Amino acid sequence: MRLFNNLATVALSSFVTLASATILQNGQVRDVLFPDTQIATVTGNDSAWTSYPPSASGISYKGSAPGLKFGFTGDKVALSFGEHTSPGVLVGYRLDGQDWEFTNVTAGATHQFVSASTPGFDMADDAGAPDTLRTFELYVSNWAFGVQVVGVHVAAGGQLVGLPNFARKVEVIGDSIASGMYDTYESMAGWAWDLGAGLGNVEFGVTAYPGICLVDQDCWGNPRGQAFQWFRASDTSPRARQMYGELSEQAEMWDFESKQPADLVIVHLGTNDNNTANNVPPGLYYDTYVEFVGKVHEVWPQAQIILVGLWNGFSRVGSTWREVGAFVEDIYRVYEYYSEEGYVHYFNTTGILQHNDIAPQYHPTDVGQIKVASHLMQYVKNTFGWDFGATGPEVQHETLYWNDQEAY
Ligand SMILES: *[C@@H]1O[C@H](CO)[C@@H](O)[C@H](O)[C@H]1NC(C)=O
Ligand SMILES: *[C@@H]1O[C@H](CO)[C@@H](O)[C@H](O)[C@H]1NC(C)=O
Ligand SMILES: *[C@@H]1O[C@H](CO)[C@@H](O)[C@H](O)[C@H]1NC(C)=O
Ligand SMILES: *[C@@H]1O[C@H](CO)[C@@H](O)[C@H](O)[C@H]1NC(C)=O
């Protein structure tokens, strides 16, 4: 969770080229060209730049992918990355409501993301005015990687401007499926992103780790389950364990009090508990789930909590296919346990996905993730009366599939 912290700037060299990278799509190389954004080190306020420390009040850190967002004036934005930046990590970023762009960033380097030639820069209504307020956002695309921001730079004469948070907040507690594992842009392609960014008018956090169980035990390399780890400041990735130490009973608690409370919590856990490889004793999943929901309610007594049903893949039955399901009854029983209280809801996923929405590595495809998110968005709208706020700008990148031939 806590992937950003404040250390002194470390810096390196510069060059400007285009870097090609590899995204494999159905085993074929997808043609992507990520611009190389690295520039010469920016060390502080000078004739070209106005610099801010990572602690500047205008910067809003987001727990979503994770990422950050701020407003600025002037015609450029650069960030300096510290030593705890995963080498070559792919980040998504955008100016205002322009399409997402992706670039690999480097530890100890400064990268420029916005200039006057950035697509859309001169398209604002009052783009000519030096005090035009623009928005910049950046997110890390991979659940296991992170960046450490050690400096934020805008044009000399420009300013960093804080943007208000959205009034509502969504928290997703999940595993690899919500993390977008094996999806094209990973964290920025999982259903949790598709939902949060897709609602468009909410803050959202995603606390989701591939392989993790709900039950507090080692599952596929995660030393603890979400029943323990969700309440702690560090996460279970090797990078976080290196930075914050092993998760133990002494691990620092996450400071929920100081953060915007969630209005809606969505729990999507159990696919790993349901796998025989992890040997979760029968009955423990249900008991843990009941207790967990109660504890989440203690953290945010005003929050609504949605329990997501688990499809758990599809298998051939005769000459057709059937959803396998995991803990289907148990999750419904957890909902029933709390149904009188009114704040727990059950989201039935059966029939949203079909067998070809699951990729060979057992996770939903980009399309599958979008289907789950779209149904969940409508569920949230119908159940809680929330409106949709993403009414134009891109949410999912490179999902434009079309046909421009006729009569074939
Ligand atoms: C640079 O100037 C801005 C605006 O005057 C100021 O807020 C900021 O603290 C300065 N940065 C440094 C690193 O001195
Ligand atoms: C950029 O990131 C992608 C995704 O992690 C990776 O496949 C690619 O190798 C990286 N490219 C560079 C030049 O580091
Ligand atoms: C997984 O869940 C199903 C119910 O949907 C249950 O029959 C099965 O025993 C569970 N398997 C494990 C390993 O927990
Ligand atoms: C979930 O939906 C499926 C398909 O519509 C239905 O058969 C099943 O009864 C539903 N489960 C619950 C608990 O409502």
Side-chain angles (χ1 to χ4, degrees):
M1 284 161 97
R2 212 183 44 177
L3 296 171
F4 293 91
N5 62 353
N6 310 337
L7 292 184
T9 309
V10 210
L12 278 179
S13 63
S14 72
F15 55 89
V16 178
T17 52
L18 282 178
S20 58
T22 310
I23 289 181
L24 291 180
Q25 177 179 296
N26 301 358
Q28 311 277 324
V29 173
R30 177 192 282 212
D31 225 0
V32 285
L33 208 55
F34 302 135
D36 190 328
T37 48
Q38 193 173 349
I39 57 166
T41 299
V42 178
T43 44
N45 289 339
D46 58 24
S47 59
W49 297 98
T50 307
S51 289
Y52 297 86
S55 56
S57 61
I59 308 170
S60 174
Y61 291 97
K62 308 294 184 187
S64 31
L68 52 70
K69 182 176 180 180
F70 55 81
F72 69 98
T73 62
D75 63 0
K76 51 191 184 179
V77 171
L79 300 181
S80 296
F81 296 94
E83 56 171 332
H84 296 296
T85 298
S86 311
V89 61
L90 191 67
V91 296
Y93 61 99
R94 70 172 173 185
L95 168 71
D96 301 334
Q98 293 297 310
D99 285 358
W100 291 99
E101 295 189 74
F102 287 80
T103 186
N104 300 81
V105 304
T106 314
T110 299
H111 289 258
Q112 183 171 352
F113 300 99
V114 176
S115 72
S117 57
T118 295
F121 187 83
D122 56 4
M123 289 177 192
D125 292 343
D126 49 356
D131 57 351
T132 302
L133 182 62
R134 317 300 297 259
T135 303
F136 177 75
E137 289 172 88
L138 175 142
Y139 298 91
V140 177
S141 72
N142 186 288
W143 63 88
F145 298 149
V147 298
Q148 177 196 22
V149 174
V150 293
V152 173
H153 320 288
V154 300
Q159 242 188 320
L160 180 67
V161 182
L163 299 173
N165 277 355
F166 294 115
R168 289 190 179 120
K169 182 163 182 188
V170 176
E171 164 77 1
V172 173
I173 310 175
D175 53 31
S176 57
I177 300 170
S179 308
M181 193 174 194
Y182 303 122
D183 292 303
T184 301
Y185 287 103
E186 300 183 323
S187 314
M188 295 177 73
W191 70 257
W193 169 271
D194 295 343
L195 172 81
L199 284 169
N201 53 13
V202 298
E203 299 297 322
F204 64 105
V206 183
T207 311
Y209 309 106
I212 202 165
C213 285
L214 166 64
V215 167
D216 184 21
Q217 64 164 59
D218 192 311
C219 288
W220 278 314
N222 295 278
R224 311 291 301 245
Q226 288 281 31
F228 173 86
Q229 115 78 32
W230 184 73
F231 302 92
R232 309 289 155 156
S234 53
D235 64 58
T236 69
S237 71
R239 174 174 176 270
R241 275 146 76 188
Q242 209 179 7
M243 285 170 71
Y244 305 114
E246 293 295 323
L247 278 171
S248 67
E249 297 301 330
Q250 285 75 46
E252 193 188 332
M253 300 298 285
W254 180 249
D255 182 8
F256 291 104
E257 294 272 304
S258 71
K259 310 273 185 325
Q260 181 178 356
D263 302 278
L264 175 61
V265 180
I266 306 176
V267 186
H268 185 191
L269 286 167
T271 304
N272 297 312
D273 303 70
N274 191 255
N275 195 299
T276 46
N278 293 319
N279 281 317
V280 172
L284 192 55
Y285 174 79
Y286 169 80
D287 293 344
T288 308
Y289 211 157
V290 167
E291 197 185 338
F292 185 66
V293 168
K295 284 185 175 172
V296 171
H297 180 64
E298 269 173 44
V299 168
W300 292 315
Q302 305 306 319
Q304 301 293 314
I305 303 175
I306 296 176
L307 318 181
V308 177
L310 304 175
W311 55 83
N312 199 27
F314 294 80
S315 63
R316 285 178 194 276
V317 178
S319 75
T320 184
W321 295 81
R322 193 158 66 209
E323 185 176 296
V324 173
F327 295 133
V328 176
E329 304 285 311
D330 302 70
I331 298 171
Y332 195 75
R333 276 171 55 225
V334 177
Y335 158 72
E336 285 182 318
Y337 182 95
Y338 286 105
S339 62
E340 302 259 291
E341 321 251 342
Y343 62 84
V344 177
H345 309 267
Y346 177 75
F347 179 64
N348 188 346
T349 57
T350 302
I352 294 176
L353 297 178
Q354 287 74 41
H355 86 93
N356 63 324
D357 293 316
I358 306 296
Q361 305 240 54
Y362 310 110
H363 290 70
T365 60
D366 290 357
V367 170
Q369 296 279 18
I370 290 171
K371 287 169 74 176
V372 172
S374 301
H375 282 266
L376 200 38
M377 277 173 64
Q378 190 66 40
Y379 179 88
V380 167
K381 184 177 182 177
N382 292 348
T383 311
F384 309 116
W386 293 18
D387 57 343
F388 290 171
T391 53
E394 183 179 278
V395 172
Q396 303 93 0
H397 193 60
E398 287 172 5
T399 50
L400 181 66
Y401 310 126
W402 77 102
N403 168 52
D404 55 9
Q405 287 174 283
E406 55 179 312
Y408 64 91

